[in-house]
Amino acid sequence: MAEAVLDAPPPRDRPVVRMSPEQLCQELLARKRPLSAQEAADIYAQGRPSVVGLFVTLSAQWVSARTGPQAPHPSTPSGMRAPYEKPPPKRRPRDPGRKKGHAGARRGPPQKINNHQEHSLGACPDCGGRLNKKPTRERTRIIEDIPEVEPVVTEHTICGYWCRRCEKIVEPMVADALPGSKIGNSLLALTAWLHYGVGMTLSQILLLLNCHLNFKLSPGGLVQMWYRLQEILYAWYVAIGEEVKAAGVVCADETGWRVSGLLHWLWCFTSQTATYYLIDRSRGEVAIKKFFAEAFAGILVTDFWKVYDRVVAAFKQKCLVHLFRELKKVDVRNRSPGWKAFRKTLKRLLRDALRLSKREELSSAEYDSRRARLDGRLNAIIAHPWKDADARRLAKRLLKYRDELFTFLDHEGVPADNNGGERAIRPAVIIRKNSFCNRSERGANAQAVMMSVYRTLKLRGHDPIRTVVQALRVYLETGKLPPLPVPRALLG
């Protein structure tokens, strides 16, 4: 009966425009107003197949908008399947930018003016009429620009002298470039920073050199110069690792990396003033023991990757954000009452712990009392006989890391999340997307050393190019690399 009614179109005064369900769906989604009664009748007049196809298409797009993209069709080629698709972005909590009424910020005037130009008129640019010889007013406008760059070529005359004691000819050291190199240290430090610090690819750097800087350079020659720079700065790399291990709080994280097409892992260990990268074939204890060869006297902040359990540290803090993400992930597929009760109880506990860390007005006795109650609530969650499988699984995780969840409440300056490690590894992830990792073990070693140096210099507030150039000059004059620069805040 329903099919007969649906197949019988209503009477119409004008012809029906036939459209496929996909075309109808696209037209409806592009509209910014609801359908009128006449337009709905036009769609209905096309018959049962069009209406059913339209409903199916609209429902699929509605589900996709709420739950994220669906699985690709089996006929989709593997090269067209995304390895990971993010869910639809959430709406911004507020409009971007500063609040209304906030004082504006703009670029300040330059401290030095190189040239002066005066602009005058002899006739009106609009009507061509005569103007007064003396201007009615004057105003100034400052323009900053970078002129066309030309390479500076310097010919060095090196005088050799016979040393009677050494019985050989000795020459003065040229500190503007590495021995045997035809490019200066400034260009070497600039290109290395663009590649390892900013994330530009080799082809992009060569394009910048050839087009803007008017400097012709081959890719192989530039890479070999980076390898030489890495060998010189390796002493800083070792110093960075020692300073990170001596820090009070260290955040650690890891991500995938490719070397010659094989899967490796990029490890990141960071403190407030230094970041150490390590590229290794292993994601297990073999790799992490290369950095934490001895017991760590500070506080290690990590996610729940089990390899970090092998590190002997004075204290540990697990990332609570990862727990929140796990609760949200399970909540999508598990709607049982047992899981809802567990999720609600644990989420309240974690939120109360985060709020307690921000309550500065509490006395020591009241703070200790609330801190102890948090431990009691955690023990109650662990001891409860949960029937839901996901609840039991997370309860076992809470039992395993019972002493590593609330460390941030007992020590000042310890974060409750691993945001420091994720922020430190993010620049390397961007470089991985641009350059597709490394093609050799030597390139991977250079990658780890140079990224560690430039990331640490950025954390300490130093100019990366100028600092490396000055260090190379000292190295060429004395044969020894200067100490790793300290943070600028300590220099006063």
Side-chain angles (χ1 to χ4, degrees):
M1 184 66 180
E3 294 182 0
V5 174
L6 188 59
D7 288 337
R12 295 184 46 84
D13 297 333
R14 63 179 186 270
V16 178
V17 180
R18 297 289 178 176
M19 300 178 66
S20 65
E22 292 78 9
Q23 293 174 338
L24 284 172
C25 184
Q26 293 178 1
E27 183 178 349
L28 291 177
L29 293 177
R31 303 171 64 92
K32 296 184 178 179
R33 62 179 178 84
L35 284 173
S36 64
Q38 183 61 45
E39 290 170 337
D42 292 342
I43 297 176
Y44 176 73
Q46 297 188 22
R48 181 175 182 276
S50 297
V51 176
V52 173
L54 176 62
F55 283 164
V56 172
T57 306
L58 284 176
S59 63
Q61 296 201 9
W62 180 79
V63 172
S64 176
R66 291 179 58 89
T67 63
Q70 302 298 311
H73 193 271
S75 62
T76 304
S78 59
M80 298 179 61
R81 300 185 183 185
Y84 172 73
E85 293 184 355
K86 295 183 179 180
K90 298 181 180 179
R91 184 182 178 275
R92 287 180 178 269
R94 62 178 182 86
D95 294 335
R98 296 182 175 179
K99 297 181 180 179
K100 294 183 178 180
H102 195 282
R106 58 179 298 177
R107 182 180 178 87
Q111 299 180 355
K112 180 182 178 181
I113 298 179
N114 304 97
N115 301 313
H116 294 270
Q117 293 185 8
E118 183 176 346
H119 303 268
S120 60
L121 289 174
C124 178
D126 297 330
C127 65
R130 296 178 59 186
L131 302 175
N132 297 332
K133 294 183 178 181
K134 185 177 181 180
T136 305
R137 68 176 186 181
E138 290 183 354
R139 66 185 183 93
T140 60
R141 178 186 176 188
I142 298 177
I143 300 177
E144 296 181 76
D145 199 358
I146 298 178
E148 184 178 358
V149 180
E150 289 290 339
V152 178
V153 181
T154 305
E155 181 180 11
H156 295 265
T157 301
I158 305 173
C159 301
Y161 302 90
W162 176 259
C163 178
R164 297 180 179 178
R165 179 177 299 178
C166 299
E167 295 184 352
K168 65 179 182 179
I169 298 178
V170 294
E171 298 178 347
M173 174 59 66
V174 179
D176 294 336
L178 298 181
S181 174
K182 294 184 179 181
I183 65 173
N185 293 334
S186 297
L187 182 61
L188 175 59
L190 171 63
T191 56
W193 173 69
L194 291 176
H195 185 67
Y196 298 105
V198 178
M200 291 180 60
T201 63
L202 179 60
S203 59
Q204 291 173 339
I205 295 175
L206 294 177
L207 183 63
L208 174 65
L209 293 177
N210 296 332
C211 297
H212 177 63
L213 301 181
N214 297 316
F215 199 101
K216 305 297 181 182
L217 197 62
S218 65
L222 184 57
V223 171
Q224 293 301 320
M225 292 302 302
W226 289 345
Y227 288 162
R228 295 182 62 184
L229 180 61
Q230 172 256 332
E231 294 175 357
I232 297 175
L233 298 181
Y234 186 79
W236 280 5
Y237 179 68
V238 176
I240 291 172
E242 296 299 326
E243 291 193 14
V244 171
K245 287 184 284 188
V249 180
V250 173
C251 298
D253 201 2
E254 78 288 335
T255 186
W257 197 265
R258 293 280 178 176
V259 179
S260 299
L262 300 178
L263 179 61
H264 285 60
W265 296 93
L266 173 69
W267 295 82
C268 175
F269 307 94
T270 182
S271 64
Q272 292 185 350
T273 59
T275 299
Y276 184 90
Y277 296 101
L278 173 67
I279 299 178
D280 195 84
R281 188 73 174 88
S282 171
R283 197 192 177 191
E285 184 179 3
V286 176
I288 204 169
K289 286 297 184 180
K290 292 182 180 180
F291 183 74
F292 290 109
E294 300 177 355
F296 178 52
I299 301 175
L300 181 62
V301 183
T302 65
D303 53 20
F304 290 90
W305 177 233
K306 60 183 180 180
V307 175
Y308 296 111
D309 301 340
R310 305 296 181 89
V311 180
V312 179
F315 299 96
K316 294 181 182 179
Q317 171 64 50
K318 295 302 178 182
C319 179
L320 298 188
V321 175
H322 280 73
L323 272 180
F324 282 112
R325 293 174 184 171
E326 183 71 16
L327 294 178
K328 185 177 180 180
K329 180 180 178 181
V330 176
D331 196 44
V332 174
R333 57 178 175 80
N334 190 346
R335 308 297 295 176
S336 66
W339 166 253
K340 290 182 178 180
F342 175 84
R343 180 204 60 188
K344 183 178 180 180
T345 306
L346 180 57
K347 186 176 291 187
R348 282 184 176 180
L349 173 63
L350 298 179
R351 288 178 175 176
D352 290 343
L354 295 176
R355 280 193 289 266
L356 179 60
S357 64
K358 302 176 182 179
R359 300 291 294 272
E360 300 178 355
E361 71 279 2
L362 296 178
S363 63
S364 300
E366 187 175 2
Y367 183 89
D368 294 340
S369 176
R370 295 192 180 188
R371 172 70 177 86
R373 288 201 294 268
L374 290 177
D375 286 337
R377 292 167 59 184
L378 177 61
N379 294 332
I381 295 176
I382 297 174
H384 190 277
W386 302 101
K387 296 182 179 180
D388 184 81
D390 290 316
R392 292 197 304 269
R393 175 175 59 85
L394 288 180
K396 291 181 180 179
R397 181 184 300 182
L398 298 178
L399 174 62
K400 182 178 181 180
Y401 300 107
R402 185 205 315 247
D403 299 331
E404 303 176 12
L405 297 178
F406 298 146
T407 307
F408 69 101
L409 296 176
D410 302 328
H411 300 82
E412 186 177 358
V414 178
D417 51 48
N418 195 25
N419 191 34
E422 293 180 352
R423 283 181 175 270
I425 209 171
R426 181 61 182 170
V429 173
I430 297 176
I431 293 176
R432 178 182 64 188
K433 292 182 178 179
N434 295 337
S435 60
F436 302 105
C437 305
N438 305 111
R439 299 177 60 183
S440 64
E441 292 290 344
R442 186 179 183 184
N445 295 333
Q447 188 83 37
V449 173
M450 302 299 289
M451 286 197 308
S452 301
V453 170
Y454 283 117
R455 179 67 181 178
T456 301
L457 292 179
K458 180 179 180 180
L459 290 177
R460 301 190 175 194
H462 291 279
D463 185 337
I465 301 176
R466 188 174 303 173
T467 303
V468 172
V469 170
Q470 294 175 353
L472 289 178
R473 176 172 291 275
V474 174
Y475 173 80
L476 293 174
E477 291 177 349
T478 63
K480 186 178 180 181
L481 195 68
L484 182 67
V486 299
R488 292 185 63 88
L490 301 180
L491 299 177

